[in-house]
Amino acid sequence: MTPARRALRTTTAAALSATVLAGATSVLAPAATAAPAAPPTSTAAAAADTSVRFVEIPGDGGTTLAANVVAPADTSRRHPLVVLPTSWSMPQIEYLAQAKKLADSGYVVVSYNTRGFWQSGGRIETAGPPDVADASKVIDWALANTAADPDHIGMAGVSYGAGISLLAAGFDARIKAVVSMSGWSDLIGSIYSGRTQHAQAAGLLGGAGALTGRPSDELNQILKDFLGSNLAKEQDMIEWGRKRSAATYLDKINANGAAIMLGNAWGDSIFPPNSYADFYEKLTGPKRLEFRPGDHATAEFGGLFGLPNDTWEHSRRWLDRYLKGDRNGIDREQPVQLMSRTGGGYEGYGSWSAVPSERRRIALDKAETVTANHDSGANAGTVMLTGALDQFLKLPPLASIPLLPRSYAAVWQTGAYATEQRIRGTVSLHTTVTSDKADGTAVAYLYDVGPLGVGKLVSNAPVTFHDRTPGKPFPVDLDLFSTAYDVPAGHRLALVVDTVDPLYIEHNPDGAHLTFSSPAADPSYLSVPVRD
């Protein structure tokens, strides 16, 4: 590592440490000020009875992992253990505010910097086998060096830490509970959905990894092939991703029986919610699924500074129930909890498949032809920003549907709805495509269109094809990213399909044309899941 880069990393770590420590302090200060004479059972007194220490833990193969331990000062008895692997590019103090809350309520909490990042040794393995083995090594160390209870062990984390926690549940039967926030269950399904590279997401992860860590040679090669559209290495990339996907180890996870809580944001531009929903349905142990507005990790972010946060509150209730045995009622609530992007509280459902009451089919009768390589003006926004604007300002990407150039965008619209349409779940598109080139990419967008023709983006998804016979029609089935969105009465839905979006790498040769048709023997349609 160069001296300049080492200095940058040290300076950044110090700044982040100061910020998170300040957030953790703010959690405790109000209680101490408001009740200086509080009894020993108060939050303030409990906080005084916890300790924080920074340690180094030998990970898999002896790799040093920088870590911190936040624990009750009382070591005369065993306490349930929660292990928190850090998010991608985040330092080891990422979870300090939440760790103190957990320790105040009786947990031993060990948070560690995942290998390859910041002060931890090794190279970035992207949730590979060494990362999964590290999780077990951290548990081993905690049992040997803290008052952790070997029979009550949980893991939790955000993003990268979520993915590692979920994977570890399939390889370490000691793990009894997992909270996986803004993570993934299918890595390739997340960043390569529809056989299309999610370029901004991969570029952001690659850039952040290079700035704050030491990418492995394997990761560098995968990113090079991925972003360079090297189809000769496509299967290698898919196999690399399968090793890092909890869905691959579903049978092991179910056999170990950990209680698993999954949470994500509807607008997560790195790990879209679809794969979590599919994975959740296949889990056989105690489980919970939460989807809410936001982008990647924005729903959990405030909680990292100790601010009130329902995501972290639900997470602590889940751990309390399955590590402490508290009868707090979370296991008696409807296990699927959704919050609409357009407002309102949580809606409870018995399963993901029970979320929509019915599916309404919208016929796409007319054929449309578009010229590729031109951005029509319809797009899905910017990674890490678009979902946050939708979450906090109710401002999704907008497009004037009447003004979209029809030579570059295929458009189908419904009539105005007399009543509100509560979209819940995954919108599916079935159509027939004919291209005059062998390769191509299309991006589908669903808009809520108001009386003035301004469309608010409801959902989107890309699809790419290769090695097709030019001029020969072929069917395409595409699931858009799952969502919960209420279309007001008087509005209509519009499906727009074009060929260029800044979020994705497109594969359309110059001058290509795509035709979307609806053969009588195989009509095209949009299937919209709605709730009465």
Side-chain angles (χ1 to χ4, degrees), residues 66-68 83-95 110-115 117-118 120 155-165:
N68 59 70
V83 175
L84 303 170
T86 54
S87 303
W88 188 270
S89 289
M90 291 293 285
Q92 59 165 303
I93 43 75
E94 174 187 9
Y95 302 114
V110 180
S111 176
Y112 69 96
N113 237 133
T114 47
R115 65 170 51 222
F117 286 105
W118 298 96
S120 285
M155 289 193 66
V158 176
S159 185
Y160 193 45
I164 291 174
S165 295

Side-chain angles (χ1 to χ4, degrees), residues 16 21 39 83 169 205 224 415 450 455:
L16 284 167
L21 283 167
V83 175
L205 293 174
K224 179 180 178 182

